Amino acid sequence: MSPIQVPICYASCSIGTPEDPLPAKLNAISAAGFDAIELSMPDLLSFANSHFKKEVGPKDYDDLCKAGKEVKKLCAEKKLKILVLQPFANFEGWAKDSEERRDAFERAEGWIRIMDAVGTDMLQVGSSDSPTISGLTPDLARDLAALADLLAEHSFRLAYENWCWATRAPTWRNAYDLVLAADRPNIGLCLDTFQTAGSEWADPTTASGLIEDGGVTAEELKGRFEKSLRELREVVPAERIYFLQISDAYRMQPPMEKEVGDDGLRPRGRWSHDWRPLPFDGGYLPVVDVAKAVLGTGFRGWFSTEVFDGKEKGRMGEVAEKAMRAHERLMREVVEV
């Protein structure tokens, strides 16, 4: 057993498919020994459709809140905490008085209602990937502060995550700078082994699987990434990290095209959606190094498995048990010299 012990979570979107019954997902996650789930909105929508035997839309907040109360009961029966509601996206940076900004705040108010219904105090917000949002830090920070203030009215928190294909905040440092600029006590980071390594070390569009921009050599890239992880350890206070998501990534063979896809996603976004296995299961990212850096801050909070592996075909119970074994191995390796 590792001398470092942390509470462990499993994202509901990372087991089975959105069409698989949520109760079956909860059974598998609980039986494998996890303490909590990240509740994914697609899973809540699927559960609501099944529960009410009708089509429930993403803005049907009355029905989603009713369904959320049932999910809360199911989780309590399985002794699972609902750590966070996710993924809340494309919120910050819209032009003042724009329809997009009005929609973002309307969605925020609806999701806060759902948070109250399911009994979680944390909202995960991914850094926006819209190409038309503001590039100015004060604009982005203003919106995050406004959302944090809405959440604070309910004693809720905002976990801001850098998505490695994001427009303005693809790295942990970009996200942390915005957290600091927002300057609210209830906003912190959701860090992620994939997002961290995927933004600063790996690239799904190159044959090597590594960033090659500007002619950087593998050795130079290694030194640059190690420097970033040292800064993370030294700069980010443990209390500003709300949880750490864990996944690896496959080296893409052949490499992905560099262009934006028909789905509007940049290459790293497509990579994130389908090619993120568990650690030690065929990926190549420095997952252990990122986890060590996060633990080096003094953080001993939630480790959450969030994987999206199109190759995984096992039954949900087997997948959850495999995830537990991966977590146990990760905790052993983070303490090895």
Side-chain angles (χ1 to χ4, degrees):
M1 179 179 290
S2 169
I4 297 177
Q5 298 296 308
V6 295
I8 48 177
C9 178
Y10 203 120
S12 68
C13 54
S14 295
I15 188 166
T17 70
E19 290 72 39
D20 286 318
L22 182 58
K25 295 186 176 196
L26 300 179
N27 286 341
I29 292 168
S30 175
F34 288 88
D35 304 309
I37 65 162
E38 295 182 47
L39 180 58
S40 174
M41 182 58 82
D43 283 315
L44 179 59
L45 281 165
S46 178
F47 177 83
N49 290 339
S50 174
H51 183 72
F52 293 116
K53 296 180 172 54
K54 67 176 184 179
E55 189 72 24
V56 177
K59 292 187 177 181
D60 293 336
Y61 296 119
D62 288 344
D63 282 342
L64 288 171
C65 287
K66 291 174 186 175
K69 290 178 181 178
E70 296 301 315
V71 172
K72 180 180 179 180
K73 292 176 187 175
L74 290 172
C75 288
E77 290 170 3
K78 296 298 176 185
K79 296 182 171 54
L80 288 169
K81 174 186 175 72
I82 299 179
L83 177 67
V84 63
L85 182 64
Q86 61 105 319
F88 193 67
N90 288 324
F91 174 79
E92 72 278 19
W94 297 111
K96 188 177 179 182
D97 298 325
S98 66
E99 183 57 38
E100 292 89 348
R101 181 175 169 80
R102 282 192 293 272
D103 176 73
F105 278 86
E106 176 189 307
R107 286 188 291 116
E109 290 171 357
W111 281 54
I112 288 171
R113 288 180 58 196
I114 295 169
M115 292 171 67
D116 188 58
V118 303
T120 186
D121 72 344
M122 186 155 51
L123 179 67
Q124 183 222 40
V125 180
S127 54
S128 178
D129 64 352
S130 171
T132 59
I133 61 169
S134 172
L136 300 176
T137 293
D139 292 342
L140 301 169
R142 173 203 63 204
D143 287 346
L144 292 175
L147 179 54
D149 289 343
L150 288 174
L151 290 162
E153 293 175 11
H154 304 265
S155 299
F156 292 164
R157 297 177 292 162
L158 190 168
Y160 191 55
E161 179 182 13
N162 63 291
W163 284 352
C164 63
W165 64 97
T167 314
R168 310 299 180 209
T171 71
W172 73 262
R173 188 64 197 235
N174 298 147
Y176 185 55
D177 286 346
L178 286 174
V179 165
L180 292 179
D183 192 23
R184 294 295 187 272
N186 64 325
I187 179 171
L189 292 173
C190 163
L191 294 175
D192 184 309
T193 57
F194 168 82
Q195 307 294 356
T196 300
S199 61
E200 298 185 62
W201 185 81
D203 187 341
T205 70
T206 64
S208 68
L210 303 179
I211 291 172
E212 298 176 356
D213 297 348
V216 63
T217 67
E219 193 61 29
E220 289 169 340
L221 181 67
K222 180 175 182 288
R224 197 165 72 188
F225 188 57
E226 288 175 348
K227 180 173 182 284
S228 176
L229 294 183
R230 283 196 304 272
E231 290 177 353
L232 191 158
R233 264 196 315 270
E234 294 165 1
V235 168
V236 181
E239 61 271 17
R240 281 287 193 176
I241 303 171
Y242 288 170
F243 65 112
L244 172 67
Q245 292 178 322
I246 306 293
S247 68
D248 205 333
Y250 294 116
R251 195 188 311 267
M252 299 308 297
Q253 299 293 345
M256 289 182 165
E257 298 293 329
K258 293 182 181 292
E259 290 75 22
V260 174
D262 293 337
D263 54 6
L265 280 173
R266 299 178 180 88
R268 283 182 170 89
R270 300 197 300 275
W271 191 35
S272 173
H273 280 206
D274 290 302
W275 305 101
R276 288 169 58 181
L278 291 165
F280 320 113
D281 196 30
Y284 74 108
L285 299 184
V287 173
V288 174
D289 292 340
V290 177
K292 281 183 175 179
V294 174
L295 290 168
T297 67
F299 174 77
R300 294 297 183 271
W302 291 92
F303 273 42
S304 183
T305 297
E306 190 199 42
V307 296
F308 301 99
D309 188 355
K311 296 182 181 182
E312 182 58 74
K313 303 301 181 186
R315 293 181 300 175
M316 285 191 284
E318 295 169 346
V319 171
E321 291 170 0
K322 184 177 177 182
M324 178 59 74
R325 292 194 296 273
H327 169 76
E328 291 168 346
R329 178 174 171 182
L330 176 62
M331 298 314 294
R332 291 194 300 272
E333 295 206 7
V334 293
V335 296
E336 293 178 1
V337 177

